[in-house]
Amino acid sequence: MPVLEKEGAQVWRKRTTNETLVRWFGWLVGVAIFAVCWQRISESTTWFFVWDAPRIANDIWTRATPPRWEYITQLGRPIWDTLNIATLGTLIALFLAVPVAFLAARNTTPSALIVRPIALLIIVSTRSINSLIWALLLIAIIGPGVFAGVIAIAIRSIGFCAKLLYEAIEEIDQSQVEAITATGASRWQVMAYGIVPQILPAFAGVAVFRWDINIRESTVLGLVGAGGIGLQLSSSLNVLAWPQVSLILLVILAAVVISEWVSAKVRGAII
């Protein structure tokens, strides 16, 4: 912290003059970038619709209330499909993510120069594309339906699960591994008895957490034809059946709240 002398007394300053100037220059650059971005956004925005948005929102709210409660009898199968998409997709992702995680971790990969970069590429590529994009691609390949939604959720989840798992593998206590290795155990025995028991809590937490996320993501896959309750939502939106839309949104909210509660209970029991 710089010290300045003023009339025989020392004045403490948090930054020097140069540091202050650099800081203000950074703020100036940030404001300039914001102004340019805002100008570009303003040029491509129809502000009439923005100012008219409150009236439109109020009109939709009036049309959507009260919800069409009798329509709930037609949402049992779609919400069940949504839960199946999330659950099966998570299970498939975990089955594939475990070997990828072991190949990506520095302390378990068979080759840090070849195998590990490939495993990391799989993790990055599956995480970088949204599940809706995967669903669109899979629908074009295998056709619309629940199966495309399951595979889309699974592919999207592989990178997420594998990343957290390989980080947990790299953070294990090496003394336990060394103790088992000293007994003459094979590589597979070391993994089974020295590594796996240490990462089981992390594995369980990742599985439940990802399932909770997939419940949310699977509710909208039907918008692109991948099955689930999103398909009912898309159909209702297309015909402007707002009372049905509000009921579907309430059902989705209830499913998400229940999954969040289950996820929190399971994680609490694990921890």
Side-chain angles (χ1 to χ4, degrees), residues 113-152:
L113 296 178
I114 299 176
V115 177
R116 186 170 188 269
I118 294 175
L120 292 177
L121 177 62
I122 294 174
I123 293 173
V124 172
S125 59
T126 54
R127 290 178 64 240
S128 60
I129 302 178
N130 190 272
S131 56
L132 279 175
I133 307 300
W134 284 119
L136 286 170
L137 293 174
L138 290 166
I139 287 171
I141 297 172
I142 62 178
V146 174
F147 184 67
V150 171
I151 302 302

Side-chain angles (χ1 to χ4, degrees), residues 24-42:
W24 280 107
F25 179 75
W27 278 105
L28 180 62
V29 171
V31 171
I33 293 174
F34 176 82
V36 172
C37 294
W38 180 257
Q39 183 181 4
R40 295 294 179 86
I41 294 173
S42 298

